[in-house]
Amino acid sequence: MYDVIVVGTRVSGAPLAMLLARQGFRVLAVDRASFPSDTPSTHYVHQAGLSLLKTWGLLDTVIATGVPAIRHLNFTYTDIDIRGMADPSPDGIDAVYCPRRTVLDKILVDAAGDAGAEVIENFTVTGLLRDGDAVTGVRGRVGEGAEQDFSARLVVGADGANSLVAKEVGAPVYEGSPAGCFIYYSYFDGLDIGMHHRTGFGEQQFASWPTNDGLALVAVMRRRDRFRDFRTDPDAGVQEIFDQIDPEIGARLREGTRAEPWRPMLYPDNYRRQSFGPGWALVGDAGYHKDPFTGWGITDAFKYAQLLADLAGETLGGGRPFTETLAEYQRERDAQSASTFELTQNIADLSLSPYYDSVFRAASRSEHYSKKFFGLIAGLYPPDKFFGEQELTELYEEIDFPVADRHLVNDGVRA
């Protein structure tokens, strides 16, 4: 009998298993994959996420893999240009990192095992065990082996957007919006251009950042209705987007060599699912997913794994019942992620509403507000301050922004 079974051991499940095991609980963590193993990802870890890795004692391990530090960010949105970097975090982190998932996930899985969690790889969950309405464990098999049953006080689905745990318990979606775009990405050798997140006219975007092994991750986004045509020749499509947004960077892309096949992705919709019930909980993309445009997937997975570990640990240690602590987990997750979720839904279709256009355009013209922008991106500056009416009024006055173009409240109207 385990205290907790965690289904899925990537960027939400492995930290959760590690943190609960460090509290002294008996934890089983299972995953269909064997590690190291790749998975679609932005790779981007914000300073707020890196702070958690540092707290967990894992940041130095990640850095030691040779993943480059990024200390200058280039953001453009059509003719809005914001470049720079956030101030160091309170714990001194002055860079961001984009480790490959083959590297990061292996570090996290190993950390869970080192903490005392029992980790079973190549394990396929075939169903949940129940006692009436309550989930009491999982049934599954290693490879093609015989099915086995494992029991626990709590089963946590950390198994991604297509979560089997969520399907088995019938977890309903209670907030969300349709996904707007598709993504193609791959890795290039001989391409040293730093970090770029560049959205151009015509609702298209390219991004690039350095990762492990001297490679640069290169990605493009376009609206979903253009996916069928794009997939016929992705090399030409990617080059076209680079050339149209920044011809100079496009020329440099031609000098690089694509090292791996293109990976096409049609991301799931943005959603929040009911993330707890009798004997079960959801964490990471299993319970809360948003478009990868803002790159907050990994950092949010870390944040809410820590939150769930703290609250579930309270119950497992003899404190408040799960009905209270798991409800608080979902409530706090939704409250803490509300601004990021809203922002992502508003800008991920590659067009800006008049409100966001005015705010970002004004921020680009103010050195100190540009710093705030990067602090917002890093998870270090509070969104309620960045988008606060008083703060925006002062920004517009500082740069003498045209009165007719000023927006203090997001009215939800799309451009």
Side-chain angles (χ1 to χ4, degrees):
M1 177 76 170
Y2 294 92
D3 293 307
V4 181
I5 296 174
V6 182
V7 180
T9 61
R10 292 193 182 272
V11 292
S12 58
L16 177 65
M18 175 193 71
L19 292 164
L20 288 170
R22 286 180 177 179
Q23 293 182 52
F25 301 117
R26 190 176 183 215
V27 180
L28 172 64
V30 300
D31 200 291
R32 291 180 301 175
S34 297
F35 296 89
S37 170
D38 209 353
T39 191
S41 174
T42 63
H43 300 41
Y44 197 94
V45 187
H46 295 270
Q47 282 162 275
L50 296 170
S51 291
L52 284 169
L53 284 175
K54 185 174 182 178
T55 298
W56 300 338
L58 300 178
L59 180 57
D60 288 345
T61 305
V62 171
I63 294 172
T65 66
V67 60
I70 302 171
R71 294 187 171 89
H72 185 83
L73 312 180
N74 301 285
F75 282 82
T76 63
Y77 218 115
T78 59
D79 58 338
I80 302 170
D81 195 326
I82 311 179
R83 304 181 186 229
M85 185 68 189
D87 289 327
S89 63
D91 53 359
I93 296 173
D94 64 351
V96 296
Y97 296 89
C98 300
R100 286 202 67 161
R101 294 295 295 274
T102 49
V103 173
L104 178 62
D105 293 6
K106 174 64 172 169
I107 290 171
L108 295 171
V109 170
D110 287 349
D114 291 344
E118 182 180 346
V119 179
I120 305 179
E121 300 179 15
N122 196 27
F123 184 94
T124 300
V125 174
T126 56
L128 302 181
L129 307 181
R130 299 175 185 272
D131 181 5
D133 292 334
V135 173
T136 59
V138 303
R139 173 174 292 123
R141 62 169 62 91
V142 176
E144 298 301 320
E147 284 193 330
Q148 305 173 67
D149 290 353
F150 297 99
S151 298
R153 297 170 62 187
L154 179 68
V155 173
V156 179
D159 47 343
N162 296 315
S163 169
L164 179 141
V165 175
K167 291 175 184 176
E168 287 284 316
V169 300
V173 171
Y174 57 87
E175 182 182 0
S177 63
C181 296
F182 69 86
I183 297 174
Y184 265 77
Y185 81 92
S186 187
Y187 303 89
F188 276 65
D189 196 10
L191 185 64
D192 184 13
I193 59 174
M195 186 279 178
H196 291 269
H197 194 281
R198 313 283 297 280
T199 305
F201 293 100
E203 297 178 334
Q204 56 189 3
Q205 186 229 46
F206 79 74
S208 180
W209 40 80
T211 186
N212 295 90
D213 303 321
L215 298 175
L217 184 148
V218 169
V220 297
M221 295 178 68
R222 270 185 174 162
R223 298 296 296 273
R224 283 196 173 207
D225 58 7
R226 304 181 68 176
F227 179 70
R228 186 180 298 273
D229 291 337
F230 190 94
R231 67 187 303 179
T232 62
D233 190 352
D235 284 302
V238 170
Q239 188 66 60
E240 178 186 47
I241 291 174
F242 270 74
D243 289 342
Q244 290 181 359
I245 295 176
D246 190 323
E248 181 180 345
I249 300 294
R252 296 180 67 179
L253 180 65
R254 290 184 175 86
E255 299 172 359
T257 302
R258 179 163 56 81
E260 298 184 19
W262 288 111
R263 292 163 168 81
M265 291 187 293
L266 289 171
Y267 263 76
D269 293 341
N270 305 286
Y271 59 78
R272 296 189 193 277
R273 286 188 182 125
Q274 175 68 23
S275 294
F276 72 96
W280 62 272
L282 303 175
V283 70
D285 285 350
Y288 156 54
H289 177 269
K290 59 198 170 304
D291 193 283
F293 184 87
T294 48
W296 265 86
I298 295 174
T299 298
D300 271 355
F302 289 173
K303 286 178 61 178
Y304 304 122
Q306 178 74 69
L307 178 64
L308 180 55
D310 291 343
L311 289 167
E314 182 181 340
T315 298
L316 294 168
R320 292 180 296 159
F322 278 134
T323 52
E324 295 183 16
T325 56
L326 296 183
E328 182 177 342
Y329 156 69
Q330 179 170 299
R331 209 166 44 242
E332 280 298 305
R333 180 201 65 187
D334 289 359
Q336 293 178 25
S337 63
S339 58
T340 303
F341 193 50
E342 177 191 350
L343 174 63
T344 302
Q345 291 182 93
N346 272 274
I347 68 177
D349 65 357
L350 307 183
S351 61
L352 290 180
S353 68
Y355 169 75
Y356 284 111
D357 185 280
S358 67
V359 172
F360 295 148
R361 192 174 298 277
S364 72
R365 299 177 187 176
S366 166
E367 182 177 351
H368 86 273
Y369 224 86
S370 291
K371 277 280 189 183
K372 293 180 180 180
F373 171 82
F374 288 111
L376 173 75
I377 295 297
L380 304 177
Y381 191 79
D384 60 323
K385 291 292 185 182
F386 184 86
F387 295 106
E389 291 186 39
Q390 179 179 340
E391 287 79 5
L392 291 179
T393 298
E394 293 172 356
L395 168 63
Y396 292 142
E397 290 295 328
E398 172 199 338
I399 62 172
D400 196 23
F401 202 70
V403 174
D405 296 333
R406 299 180 184 185
H407 290 266
L408 298 174
V409 178
N410 182 18
D411 58 12
V413 177
R414 301 296 305 159

